[in-house]
Amino acid sequence: MGPLEFGRPLVMGVLNVTPDSFADGGRYLEPDAAIAHARRLIERGADIIDVGGESTRPGAEPVPVEEELRRVLPVISALLGIGVPVSIDTRHAPVMRAALAAGASIINDVSALTGDPESLAVAAASDAPVILMHAQGDPRTMQDSPVYTDVVDEVHEYLKRRIQACTDAGIDAGRLIVDPGIGFGKTLDHNLALLRNLHRFHDLGCPVLLGVSRKSFLGRLSGGAPAHGRLPGSLAAALAAIHQGVHILRVHDVAETRQALDVWQAIFQGTATENS
Ligand code: HH2
């Protein structure tokens, strides 16, 4: 795959092939349902499809690698040639390796290649873009009592160190994408501080990706709205991010996000294309 083009903000559509993801668990566990949803996401404007076979929501139990492979591989194979790049959302090197062989062309790792001792080598042996996300702790316990002295400084410093570890392992910095990891070992205040300071991550020299879609902090800001009722909050947070130069948004609601981005772009970048 060639490098991603960032002429406009990109929308990454979420495809969770899991029974238990917080927003869409169980809906796309069967390969046919997953493939049909991927096609829908592309029709609605997704630039990338992110396929995951393990929920990393707070409290989630790890999934055996064999099961993760059984979930994601048929879907990734079926998406070959679908017209947009497919990323593999995993913390496990064998899943990265097999997914890349099956046609995935981007690695998305919520552990920033720390979850498996082999991951750096798998990424180095490929030419895939790599998304490095910050998380404090493990999904099982990460929301118990996350603590930071200065969350923005610490997440920034962590990502800087992970970029260094990647380049030391032979991964070209031009392939790296960073993500502050909203909701991964963060309180509401930590998430809001990061969202106010996304612009500070640009000095890392990599595109910035953000995942806020339907996350629980939005429920806490909206009187306890359930996951499927958090679209308005998701869009508000997405636009705040785009306004600070974030390059990629990871979302469940692709068409709605695309529309919000098109309006934002028409206002701020004068790139209106009329669809009557
Ligand atoms: N969030 C989730 C999963 N993967 N990857 C990146 N880079 N950034 C994120 O913010 C991110 C991510 C969690 O969302 P979801 O996949 O919808 O839920 P679950 O972990 O329950 O499958």
Side-chain angles (χ1 to χ4, degrees), residues 12 14 16 18 20-24 50 54-58 60 89 108-110 131-133 179 181-182 184 209-213 215 250 252:
M12 170 188 263
V14 178
N16 285 317
T18 60
D20 56 344
S21 288
F22 79 95
D24 56 358
D50 188 39
E54 177 190 49
S55 173
T56 47
R57 73 186 188 289
D89 184 351
N108 175 23
D109 186 351
V110 301
I131 299 160
L132 301 171
M133 198 200 79
D179 179 346
I182 297 299
F184 283 80
L209 181 147
L210 192 78
V212 285
S213 182
K215 284 191 174 170
R250 181 182 181 277
H252 302 88

Side-chain angles (χ1 to χ4, degrees), residues 90-113:
T90 186
R91 303 181 284 170
H92 303 119
V95 179
M96 289 171 198
R97 196 184 287 114
L100 292 172
S105 57
I106 301 173
I107 297 169
N108 175 23
D109 186 351
V110 301
S111 76
L113 304 182

Side-chain angles (χ1 to χ4, degrees), residues 32 40 60-61 91-92 109 130 141 147 177 202-203 216 219 235 242 245 263:
D32 287 351
R40 266 195 308 274
E61 290 293 326
R91 303 181 284 170
H92 303 119
D109 186 351
V130 180
T141 54
V147 177
I177 296 167
H202 294 309
D203 68 358
S216 65
L235 295 178
I242 291 301
V263 172

Side-chain angles (χ1 to χ4, degrees), residues 69-266:
L69 286 167
R70 203 184 61 74
R71 292 177 186 174
V72 298
L73 284 186
V75 177
I76 291 171
S77 303
L79 296 183
L80 203 61
I82 197 156
V84 303
V86 170
S87 56
I88 175 66
D89 184 351
T90 186
R91 303 181 284 170
H92 303 119
V95 179
M96 289 171 198
R97 196 184 287 114
L100 292 172
S105 57
I106 301 173
I107 297 169
N108 175 23
D109 186 351
V110 301
S111 76
L113 304 182
T114 67
D116 186 320
E118 296 293 314
S119 296
L120 276 168
V122 172
S126 78
D127 61 0
V130 180
I131 299 160
L132 301 171
M133 198 200 79
H134 173 274
Q136 187 181 89
D138 187 76
R140 265 177 300 197
T141 54
M142 65 189 180
Q143 288 306 107
D144 289 354
S145 55
V147 177
Y148 301 84
T149 307
D150 182 321
V151 66
V152 179
D153 280 354
E154 286 169 49
V155 171
H156 184 279
E157 183 55 31
Y158 173 86
L159 292 172
K160 191 171 162 187
R161 276 189 276 118
R162 293 312 300 156
I163 291 169
Q164 187 65 51
C166 287
T167 53
D168 289 351
I171 304 171
D172 191 274
R175 282 205 267 144
L176 301 175
I177 296 167
V178 294
D179 179 346
I182 297 299
F184 283 80
K186 281 121 189 158
T187 63
L188 175 60
D189 284 345
H190 295 144
N191 288 323
L192 292 175
L194 286 166
L195 289 171
R196 266 192 297 275
N197 287 283
L198 293 168
H199 56 96
R200 286 181 47 193
F201 289 85
H202 294 309
D203 68 358
L204 292 170
C206 304
V208 179
L209 181 147
L210 192 78
V212 285
S213 182
R214 303 189 189 178
K215 284 191 174 170
S216 65
F217 80 99
L218 300 167
R220 295 199 47 204
L221 292 171
S222 56
H228 63 81
R230 298 175 190 156
L231 175 60
S234 302
L235 295 178
L239 291 181
I242 291 301
H243 214 70
Q244 294 175 71
V246 163
H247 302 80
I248 310 177
L249 291 172
R250 181 182 181 277
V251 306
H252 302 88
D253 303 288
V254 167
E256 294 82 352
T257 305
R258 189 78 262 165
Q259 185 182 97
L261 293 185
D262 286 348
V263 172
W264 180 89
Q265 269 194 289

